[in-house]
Amino acid sequence: MRNKKIKIMEVCGTHTMSIAKYGLRNFFKNTELVSGPGCPVCVTPSNMLEACVELAKKKNVIVTSFGDMLRVPAITSSLEKELSRGADVRVVYSVYEPLKIALENPDKEVVFAGAGFETTAPLAAALIIEAYRKKAKNLTLFSMFKSVFPALDIIAASKDLKIDGFLLPGNVASITGKKAFSYIAQKYKIPCVIAGFSETEIVNAVNKLSDLIGEKKNVVENEYEAVVSDEGNLKARRLLEDVFDLKDEEWRGFGKIAKSGFALKEKFAAFDAERKFAVKPLKAASAKGVKDACRCGDIMKGKITPRQCRLFGKKCVPENPVGPCMVSSEGVCAAYYKYGRVKSEE
C-alpha cells in the first residue's frame, strides 16, 4: 500500500497549522495531505460577516467577538474597519466577557458574534444560559456556529475529491466523542483516526491511518485517548441540546447545508440577535471585483491548495487579506504563507 499514493484530509484548522509548522506535508511518502473545512471563521460566508458589520454600525450597540473575526473581510467592510470608524467593537478572550460588558452597560445592546464548531458552541450555550439566569436582556448572540458533521458528509460522498482517510479533530471529538464519527467509516467506507496536535501525535495518527487504508479497515481509531472518550463530554453535549436547534446554514464554498447551523431555541429567542435586530443577511455571498477571485471556498473543500489561488501571496497577504483563509489563525492560506515548507502541488 505504501507504493500507492493515498489522499488524507486533515479536517481541523489547528492540524493544518501544525502540519505546516513542522513541515509534515513533505514527510510522508506517497501520502497527500489536504486541508478540510476545519476553520470556522473561514467557512463563514461573506454575507453573514456583513451582517456583523451592519450590527456594528447600529447606534448604542457593542459588538464583541474573538480576535480572528475582526479582520475578516465582509462585503463592504470588516469589524476592524468599523472599529476604526468609531463603532464600539471589542475583542473578548472569554465567552463570559460579553455578559460582563452587558451587565456593566445596561443602556447598550451587546452582541456576541460567535463562530465555531462543536468545540466552542457549548461555551456560547453556557453564556446564553447564564444570561437567561441573570435576565441580561441587553445581551444577544449572533450565532455563526456550525456542526462539522454535515460538511464531512459532503466531502466523504464526493466522487471528485476521493478522500482515502480522515484525520479527525481531537478538539471536536473531545466534545462529541469517538462514537459520533463511527458512521463516516461505516457509511462511506473511509477509515478515520482522531489525533492530537503535537508533531509526534500527528505523525503517529497519519501512520496509523495509512495502515488502516492499506488494510482496508473502515473503522475509527482514537489516537488521542488522553482527551477523547467514546461518549465525549456529556455536559457539553447536553448544553448544545438544551440551547440550540440545528438549522439549514450557508457555508463558504459549500452553499447551504441542511441542519448544519446552531440556532437558539425558541425559549432563548430574546437572546437571538438575528431576531431582535431583524438581521437579514444579503443573498450575495461575496463582493464584486477582486474578492470574486478568492478561492477560499475551494481551499476549504480540499479541491485546491492555496498556491493554486492566483491571489495567494500577491494581492492576498496577511497585511491585506482578501479572504478569511489568510486571516484566521487556523486558516489554510495563513499556514502556507507563514511556514511555506510544502512540496510543490503543480
Side-chain angles (χ1 to χ4, degrees):
M1 180 65 200
R2 292 290 177 158
N3 293 322
K4 179 182 177 182
K5 191 167 185 176
I6 59 175
K7 184 186 287 188
I8 291 173
M9 174 176 280
E10 85 270 2
V11 177
C12 181
T14 306
H15 278 150
T16 294
M17 193 59 70
S18 294
I19 287 168
K21 178 180 179 180
Y22 298 119
L24 297 183
R25 293 194 196 281
N26 305 324
F27 186 79
F28 301 100
K29 184 179 179 181
N30 295 326
T31 300
E32 180 185 3
L33 294 177
V34 298
S35 302
C39 167
V41 173
C42 301
V43 296
T44 302
S46 297
N47 59 337
M48 295 297 288
L49 298 168
E50 184 70 12
C52 296
V53 168
E54 291 303 313
L55 286 169
K57 291 179 179 179
K58 292 184 180 294
K59 187 178 180 180
N60 294 323
V61 170
I62 302 171
V63 173
T64 62
S65 185
F66 296 130
D68 274 6
M69 188 70 70
L70 265 68
R71 296 186 63 237
V72 179
I75 296 175
T76 65
S77 183
S78 68
L79 288 176
E80 184 180 60
K81 288 180 180 177
E82 293 309 311
L83 173 62
S84 70
R85 293 166 182 162
D88 197 342
V89 178
R90 307 185 190 184
V91 175
V92 294
Y93 300 93
S94 162
V95 76
Y96 287 109
E97 282 187 63
L99 177 57
K100 182 175 183 291
I101 293 170
L103 295 174
E104 292 174 349
N105 297 271
D107 57 332
K108 303 277 189 178
E109 292 287 344
V110 178
V111 179
F112 176 52
F117 295 122
E118 281 85 355
T119 314
T120 51
L123 299 174
L127 168 67
I128 293 303
I129 287 177
E130 188 66 8
Y132 182 85
R133 187 179 70 82
K134 293 189 174 181
K135 299 180 180 180
K137 294 185 178 181
N138 64 324
L139 173 71
T140 53
L141 169 69
F142 187 69
S143 177
M144 294 172 282
F145 292 99
K146 296 175 174 63
S147 172
V148 74
F149 294 97
L152 285 181
D153 281 331
I154 292 175
I155 292 170
S158 172
K159 294 180 180 179
D160 295 329
L161 293 176
K162 297 179 180 178
I163 301 299
D164 295 301
F166 283 112
L167 190 70
L168 295 176
N171 47 9
V172 171
S174 70
I175 303 298
T176 65
K178 172 189 172 183
K179 287 183 179 179
F181 291 97
S182 296
Y183 79 96
I184 296 174
Q186 296 166 2
K187 181 178 180 179
Y188 300 106
K189 309 303 180 186
I190 299 176
C192 309
V193 173
I194 299 168
F197 301 96
S198 71
E199 180 181 11
T200 302
E201 287 171 324
I202 293 171
V203 169
N204 289 341
V206 172
N207 284 333
K208 179 67 174 179
L209 190 49
S210 298
D211 290 340
L212 292 176
I213 294 168
E215 296 164 8
K216 297 183 179 180
K217 289 185 177 179
N218 300 314
V219 296
V220 177
E221 293 285 350
N222 183 9
E223 290 289 303
Y224 202 31
E225 291 184 338
V227 176
V228 177
S229 65
D230 284 352
E231 303 297 334
N233 186 322
L234 297 180
K235 184 175 181 180
R237 287 173 56 187
R238 194 172 299 114
L239 279 170
L240 288 176
E241 293 170 2
D242 290 346
V243 175
F244 293 114
D245 286 322
L246 287 174
K247 67 171 183 176
D248 298 350
E249 186 70 287
E250 290 282 343
W251 291 56
R252 186 186 299 266
F254 290 81
K256 184 167 286 189
I257 303 180
K259 295 184 182 290
S260 64
F262 288 107
L264 289 173
K265 288 181 178 290
E266 192 64 34
K267 176 181 178 180
F268 302 107
F271 300 94
D272 188 338
E274 194 167 350
R275 300 192 208 188
K276 187 170 188 177
F277 297 100
V279 175
K280 293 183 179 180
L282 300 175
K283 291 183 179 180
S286 65
K288 293 181 179 180
V290 70
K291 287 186 181 179
D292 289 332
C294 174
R295 302 289 302 278
C296 189
D298 288 334
I299 291 168
M300 297 305 296
K301 291 179 76 173
K303 292 178 67 175
I304 66 168
T305 66
R307 296 186 186 282
Q308 292 170 301
C309 174
R310 65 183 177 87
L311 301 181
F312 176 78
K314 300 178 179 70
K315 290 185 177 180
C316 185
V317 294
E319 296 77 18
N320 184 36
V322 176
C325 291
M326 186 62 84
V327 179
S328 173
S329 60
E330 296 183 337
V332 184
C333 295
Y336 271 63
Y337 189 92
K338 183 175 182 178
Y339 297 108
R341 297 194 302 272
V342 293
K343 53 192 174 185
S344 174
E345 302 91 359
E346 289 76 25

